[in-house]
Each structure stands twice: as C-alpha cells, then as structure tokens.
Amino acid sequence: MQIKEKSTEELIQISNKIRERIIDVVSRKGGHFSSTLGAVELTLGMHKVFDVRKDPFIFDVSHQCYAHKLLTNRWEEFETVRQFDGMCGFTKPKESDADYFVAGHSSTSISIATGAAKAIKLKNEDRVPVVMIGDGSMSAGMVYEAMNELGDLKLPVVIILNDNEMSIAKPIGAISKYLSKILAGKFYQSFKARVDKFIRNNMPEGTTYLAKRVENSIKLITPGILFEELGIDYIGPIDGHDIEEIIDTLTIAKSMNKPVIVHARTTKGKGYKIAEGQHEEWHGVGPFNIEDGEFIKKSSDKSATAVYSDALLNLAEKYDNVVGVTAAMPSGTGLDKLLDKFPDRFWDVAIAEQHAVTSMAAMAKEGFKPFVTIYSTFLQRGFDQIVHDVCIMGLPVVFAMDRAGIVGNDGETHQGVFDISFLRFIPNMVLFAPRDNQTLNFALDFAYSLDKPCAIRYPRGAFKELDYKANPFVLGKSELLKDGKSNKLFIAYGAGVSKAIEVEKLHEEDIAILDLRFVKPLDKDMLIKLSEKYNSWYIFSDSQKQGGVASAILELLSEENILNISVNSFEYNDIFIEHGDTKLVEKSLELLADQLVKKVI
Ligand SMILES: Cc1ncc(C[n+]2csc(CCOP(=O)(O)OP(=O)(O)O)c2C)c(N)n1
Ligand SMILES: CC(=O)[C@@H](O)[C@H](O)COP(=O)(O)O
Ligand SMILES: [Mg+2]
C-alpha cells in the first residue's frame, strides 16, 4: 500500500481498515493480537517517514508486525497467518523483502540496527535503520550491550520504544518502573515546577553558581536521562496513537543523524475494547467471538504445563528450600500459581533468561533447590550460563523446559527441538523426560532428590494418556514397557513414547518398546541386554536428530563395540521446522504414526 502521499485523515482511515482486518482474521485463525493492535499508528509512522525499500525496518520479537505485513503487499495472504504453508506470524525475509530480519526471540533489534548502521556507514549509503521495540523487551541484557556501542559510535538509528506498560504479563523490574515514571511524568513535572518557583522567588536575575546547580539537578531528572547518558538522544513521551505527532517526531528523529529513542505511549489492544489495556489473555489468542470476546475453546485436556505447575506447588509446600524462576512467562509456564502462593520464593525476572539461570545457580550454592522454568526455545539464551555457572560448579539446578518439541503456529524461532542436543554434551548434566502426566509428577520428585544439574522436557499442550503404570525415576534406569516377538525394538524418549506406542499398535508385528527415561546417563546395561535380542532399533523423540537420542545410543553402541544393530532415527532432520498446526507440520515431515509405520515395515 502506498502511504507516502497520504494525508493524516487518510492515514487514520487506513489505520481503521488495518485494525478491522487484524481483528477479523485473528478472531478466526488465532495469533498475536493486542501488541499489534497497539502498534498500528507507529507502524504507519514508520512507513510514512522511512522508506521500507531501503531503510532497514527492524521489529523486536516481531509479534507486533501484522500492520507492517498488511502495508507491504500481504493484505490477502494475511488470511493464512501462522497457518501451515501460509504466512509467518513474525517477520521473515524469505517471505518478503520488506522484512529485514527474522525475529521471534526478544531484544535483538538494537543489535541488528547497530550492525546495519555500521554496514551502511562503510558502504557510504543513505539509509537509516528504524527499530520498534516494546517496553517489556527493554529488560534483556542484549539491549544494553547494543546501546553501549551504539551510543558510543553515535550512528544514526531511530528506536521507537512502544511502551504499553505491558510485557505478556505485567512488566517487572527497575527499568520498567523507570519507564513508567517517565510516562506518568509526575515526578519530573512537580519537581520542575518547584524548582522554577524557587528560582523565581529566591534568585536575582543572572544568578550563576546556584542557578547552574539547580539547573543541573533538573537535568538529572529529565525524562530519558538514562538513554541520554548512554549517548542516545531521547524524545518523548509522545502519544503513540496520534499519527500527526508520530510523523512529526519521527521526521525530526530521522533528521538528527544520530541514535535517537522516540518514547511512545500506546495502549495494548487498541481498537478492540475488550482487549484494551493490561489484559494478558489477549496477547496471543486462539479463535474468538468478535461480539463478546469469548474464546472458542479447543481442548479440555489438562496441559503438561498445568500438571507441572501443580506438581511444583506440591513440592514447594512440602519443602521450603524449593524456589523457582520464570523469565517473563508466568502464565505460559504455570509459574503464576507459585508466584501468587510463594511470592518470596518464586520470581519473574522479566525477559532475562541468562540472569534467571545464573541467579538460580547462586541460590543452589546457598542450599536452595531452584526450578528454572523456561520454554525450551528461550533456554537457548541461557546456554553459556548453564555451562559456566551451573554445570562447571555441579550445582543442583533443575531446568524445566516447557514447549519441548514442535510448538505449532509460532514456527521456526520457537520450536523446542534443540535442547537435548545443546545440553547432552555438557559434563555433569543429567537429562531425563516424563512420558505422560503421572511420570511428570515422578520426574519432579526425582529432580528434587538429585544433587546434580538436570533438565526435563515436556510438550506444549497435553500429554497423551497412556495405559502403562507410572513408576518413580531411578538415575540412569530405563523402563521396558513391553517385550516383542520380532527383531525390532522401539526406543522412545519423553513424548516420543506415546508415538512409539501408537506406531506399535498400527504395526502387525509384536514389537518391544523401551521408555528410555534418561538420555544422559543412558541405561547401558539394559541397552546391551536388548542388543542381544533385538537388532533393528527405531528411535522416537520429538527433538533434533543431530546430537540427539539416536546419536547418544550410537555413541554407546560404538563404545561397546556392538556393531550388528541398525539404528533408525525418527527425530527431526537438519532443517528449521516451519509454522503451522502441529499435526500438519508432522505430516509434512512424515512423522505421523501412520507414516512411520510404513517406514518400519
Ligand atoms: C528471549 C525471549 N524470551 C521471552 C519471549 C516471550 N515473549 C514474547 S513477547 C513478550 C513480551 C514483550 O513485551 P513488549 O516488548 O513490551 O511487547 P508487547 O507485547 O507489550 O507489545 C515475551 C515475554 C521471547 N519472545 N523471547
Ligand atoms: C511472541 C512470543 O514469544 C510469545 O508470545 C509466544 O508466542 C508464546 O507462546 P505460547 O503460546 O506457546 O505461550
Ligand atoms: Mg509492552
């Protein structure tokens, strides 16, 4: 859509049309909702003042990018947002040249802009990176690493701080309080008013020394002083829904030819009354009824998250050294219940996975038993902290990795498929997994009793209910669920167990099934014993093949010089897995039970 020549009136009409389209499509298909509704005018401002064909448009997380997509030739295609084979819910350069960078994990935008600005300078080009970042995403360390350099280099970058005073949940921490204080403006204004009065009443014209001191103290509380001190000019706060004010401010910011933050106040959910304001449940939604905002419920099965949350609550009630942390995902991880019940022992540390890991390492050192509860995909951020601060120290921190496996509509950036690969090679780490709700309860008991770092994983949504009796975990011990009459053995890990059972039922042969339980340490005795009876092994796990479960088993077979076994992995291949309904994605990967059974035959 060409908007460069549009008047303010026309832009207001366009903003209404964009909102209608977002509300209509998301109400039927689901998707990220309130962030993008709140960012419509700011996005229009970006497109009016900057040139998307040459200036890098960088959206942090990019869950707020729907208006941008609609403005860049994707009006019709938007119907397919987050659907299998359809448009991605995040920015994706493969989808459009207007999408400068992939995003999905937060707080990368200012680093991207800084890199782009350096390149633009070296290439001597006339382009200016423009960033949109939310207040919640200002908590992560990367933002400050980037500003530290950007403010020093003074390269032209315009950063729009889209402040709706919300993360997914209520934002946490000192930075968030600082931003809110600026928005409220009360402290600044009342102080300034008092100082003005003092100068007027007490100082003769031209008074120098004292006047300067007073002036300096005003400067100290100027809004945005934090950014100014870092070398980044600050403008704001402005009304992030007033198109004219946005365009004027962005025009000035762009002309300044240095790093500038434009602080805009917005309302999350703007334009859909029921979602407007601080309503966590409207951040990301499934289909809903537009008239009354009722969500169309899909499944009533208890999610693995809810089972984990209840089990951890039980543990926390029993043992007062149990503590835990979430990084800005209280309801997503089920830690909200624990934050309510034990506010002194459970923390939301905001988007700060690295800090979450290291601070809990220190708590473990002090004798507490921390449960670091982070989605598999976001724990990637805390990798070095797991190696350096937890595992070298051998501290008994539990990593509870929610959203393991294919997560569905979020896609590539959010698939929880790498955790086994990136944790398995770390010395001291123990990796085990529940196969269903009951074993998830046992997994927590075992994790509590273990005096080493360990990680468990469980999927988005609900486990399948299984007929096998659940038993407590014993370190390094697997469980043979059934013997078989053929030469085949199914070895399954975590949610892979239900898949193996499903395939076995569809298969005409009677096949043995082993629930591996531990991928580190492996149950060496059991695997050696089974190698004497079965020589065709099939590995089931909803995780990456490279460095995964089959790799671990092959390493063992090779070490033991057992060379007569064929090992077939049904883990994920070496690709980034696209978004869409989980079943359809699995089908495209040929990993549905009826597809696997043919491969086994
Ligand atoms: C590293 C990382 N941790 C957690 C998340 C999950 N997450 C996505 S959006 C979001 C809130 C971001 O808040 P803000 O930037 O203020 O955007 P808003 O939704 O308010 O527009 C969170 C925690 C993420 N995407 N990346
Ligand atoms: C953008 C983002 O990272 C989150 O909003 C994420 O999409 C939440 O995923 P769940 O729906 O699995 O909690
Ligand atoms: Mg926000």
Side-chain angles (χ1 to χ4, degrees):
M1 198 180 290
Q2 279 308 325
I3 63 159
K4 281 259 174 263
E5 311 306 322
K6 303 280 188 223
S7 67
T8 306
E9 264 322 301
E10 287 169 322
L11 288 176
I12 291 171
Q13 280 165 18
I14 293 171
S15 72
N16 292 336
K17 278 175 77 179
I18 287 175
R19 285 206 169 86
E20 262 171 43
R21 181 83 178 133
I22 293 170
I23 294 168
D24 173 43
V25 173
V26 177
S27 71
R28 288 181 287 110
K29 304 285 169 80
H32 286 105
F33 189 61
S34 51
S35 313
T36 206
L37 282 182
V40 173
E41 287 82 5
L42 289 175
T43 309
L44 280 168
M46 287 167 83
H47 280 268
K48 172 88 176 165
V49 175
F50 295 83
D51 185 346
V52 75
R53 288 162 308 171
K54 66 181 184 78
D55 296 323
F57 277 41
I58 303 160
F59 293 90
D60 203 275
V61 186
S62 83
H63 61 311
Q64 80 294 59
C65 73
Y66 293 0
H68 165 76
K69 294 207 175 208
L70 291 170
L71 287 169
T72 48
N73 294 330
R74 285 172 275 183
W75 191 271
E76 289 309 320
E77 206 188 337
F78 186 62
E79 189 65 32
T80 67
V81 67
R82 286 164 47 102
Q83 309 300 302
F84 180 71
D85 249 355
M87 201 174 110
C88 180
F90 299 114
T91 50
K92 187 166 178 166
K94 271 194 222 154
E95 183 182 292
S96 164
D97 289 343
D99 292 1
Y100 183 73
F101 234 80
V102 163
H105 288 199
S106 89
S107 317
T108 59
S109 57
I110 304 179
S111 293
I112 296 168
T114 305
K118 286 184 197 171
I120 290 167
K121 185 174 176 205
L122 284 175
K123 295 200 277 181
N124 199 19
E125 290 175 349
D126 177 25
R127 298 157 63 210
V128 181
V130 56
V131 164
M132 166 141 17
I133 182 167
D135 54 312
S137 299
M138 294 297 289
S139 57
M142 262 191 98
V143 161
Y144 299 89
E145 294 172 31
M147 289 201 295
N148 183 45
E149 189 186 26
L150 182 63
D152 191 35
L153 296 181
K154 297 259 182 276
L155 295 169
V157 169
V158 175
I159 301 164
I160 303 169
L161 173 50
N162 168 22
D163 193 345
N164 52 24
E165 295 191 88
M166 275 296 269
S167 187
I168 290 181
K170 290 259 161 61
I172 301 290
I175 290 290
S176 163
K177 290 201 177 100
Y178 171 70
L179 293 175
S180 293
K181 203 185 296 181
I182 298 179
L183 284 193
K186 279 186 200 126
F187 175 60
Y188 169 64
Q189 273 156 21
S190 64
F191 186 83
K192 188 175 182 310
R194 268 189 289 138
V195 172
D196 281 352
K197 197 167 155 207
F198 175 83
I199 293 174
R200 262 201 322 278
N201 294 346
N202 298 294
M203 297 178 124
E205 288 283 306
T207 304
T208 52
Y209 177 68
L210 194 54
K212 276 229 150 55
R213 288 275 304 272
V214 174
E215 223 180 272
N216 281 340
S217 54
I218 294 174
K219 262 203 191 137
L220 277 177
I221 52 154
T222 296
I225 190 75
L226 175 74
F227 305 108
E228 301 267 352
E229 289 293 315
L230 287 172
I232 299 179
D233 279 35
Y234 173 94
I235 309 179
I238 65 163
D239 179 348
H241 299 300
D242 181 331
I243 290 190
E244 216 160 307
E245 191 175 345
I246 293 167
I247 293 171
D248 289 350
T249 315
L250 289 181
T251 307
I252 293 168
K254 188 180 170 195
S255 71
M256 285 164 74
N257 209 26
K258 50 183 171 170
V260 187
I261 284 207
V262 174
H263 189 181
R265 179 207 309 260
T266 59
T267 301
K268 207 163 171 169
K270 178 84 175 172
Y272 184 68
K273 275 276 165 292
I274 305 170
E276 276 184 12
Q278 303 189 313
H279 301 293
E280 187 174 347
E281 68 278 17
W282 285 99
H283 174 86
V285 296
F288 63 92
N289 184 349
I290 296 183
E291 278 69 48
D292 58 11
E294 281 291 310
F295 292 111
I296 298 158
K297 265 240 166 335
K298 258 192 176 163
S299 159
S300 54
D301 294 343
K302 188 166 179 178
S303 66
T305 304
V307 177
Y308 169 81
S309 169
D310 288 346
L312 186 58
L313 195 62
N314 280 340
L315 271 188
E317 274 161 357
K318 225 153 96 192
Y319 306 110
D320 58 14
N321 68 338
V322 168
V323 294
V325 75
T326 170
M329 305 300 285
S331 59
T333 56
L335 244 70
D336 48 355
K337 274 191 182 174
L338 291 114
L339 290 162
D340 281 350
K341 184 105 199 249
F342 298 108
D344 296 335
R345 284 159 54 196
F346 287 84
W347 296 271
D348 178 353
V349 294
I351 304 179
E353 288 79 6
Q354 298 164 307
H355 163 66
V357 173
T358 299
S359 60
M360 286 297 116
M363 291 216 72
K365 162 117 183 149
E366 292 289 341
F368 289 89
K369 184 78 194 184
F371 283 73
V372 175
T373 311
I374 295 182
Y375 289 9
S376 164
T377 187
F378 300 141
L379 193 61
Q380 290 165 196
R381 272 277 161 91
F383 174 71
D384 182 58
Q385 288 69 16
I386 298 174
V387 176
H388 181 268
D389 304 324
V390 176
C391 288
I392 294 181
M393 301 273 289
L395 292 165
V397 175
V398 182
F399 294 95
M401 300 181 292
D402 201 322
R403 305 306 196 264
I406 293 179
V407 294
N409 307 82
D410 275 337
E412 286 179 324
T413 52
H414 283 59
Q415 308 292 13
V417 298
F418 301 122
D419 54 273
I420 297 176
S421 307
F422 75 72
L423 295 175
R424 193 171 68 80
F425 63 75
I426 310 176
N428 284 337
M429 178 60 91
V430 172
L431 297 181
F432 61 110
R435 61 175 179 247
D436 60 9
N437 290 345
Q438 284 169 302
T439 49
L440 178 51
N441 277 288
F442 281 126
L444 261 71
D445 293 339
F446 178 75
Y448 179 76
S449 68
L450 189 69
D451 195 25
K452 293 181 91 182
C454 69
I456 60 167
R457 67 196 309 269
Y458 43 95
R460 188 172 198 271
F463 271 117
K464 294 217 170 75
E465 278 312 310
L466 304 176
D467 293 336
Y468 295 93
K469 178 180 168 280
N471 294 306
F473 283 81
V474 178
L475 182 63
K477 289 291 166 215
S478 60
E479 221 184 330
L480 189 62
L481 297 182
K482 72 180 281 289
D483 257 316
K485 294 200 178 83
S486 77
N487 67 332
K488 298 183 174 70
L489 168 67
F490 286 177
I491 300 178
Y493 186 67
V497 175
S498 59
K499 184 61 75 61
I501 292 172
E502 223 184 317
V503 175
E504 201 273 339
K505 278 187 184 147
L506 291 174
H507 202 284
E508 57 197 24
E509 288 181 288
D510 183 11
I511 300 173
I513 304 177
L514 179 76
D515 177 353
L516 194 60
R517 302 200 117 187
F518 288 82
V519 70
K520 187 177 184 185
L522 282 177
D523 189 348
K524 186 167 143 183
D525 294 345
M526 174 68 93
L527 289 166
I528 291 175
K529 198 168 113 199
L530 293 174
S531 74
E532 288 155 12
K533 195 166 172 200
Y534 308 105
N535 65 4
S536 191
W537 291 9
Y538 297 84
I539 313 302
F540 294 77
S541 175
D542 53 348
S543 52
Q544 197 75 358
K545 187 181 286 178
Q546 289 67 28
V549 180
S551 293
I553 287 169
L554 281 163
E555 284 161 22
L556 177 89
L557 292 176
S558 158
E559 274 160 25
E560 296 300 317
N561 213 17
I562 301 173
L563 305 172
N564 63 325
I565 308 282
S566 77
V567 177
N568 306 277
S569 163
F570 294 146
E571 296 158 284
Y572 303 132
N573 281 325
D574 190 12
I575 53 161
F576 287 106
I577 299 171
E578 299 278 338
H579 58 273
D581 173 80
T582 304
K583 275 250 150 61
L584 295 178
V585 174
E586 279 193 338
K587 188 173 175 204
S588 73
L589 301 172
E590 299 186 359
L591 289 173
L592 288 180
D594 56 341
Q595 295 169 308
L596 290 177
V597 83
K598 288 181 195 136
K599 293 189 191 183
V600 175
I601 289 165

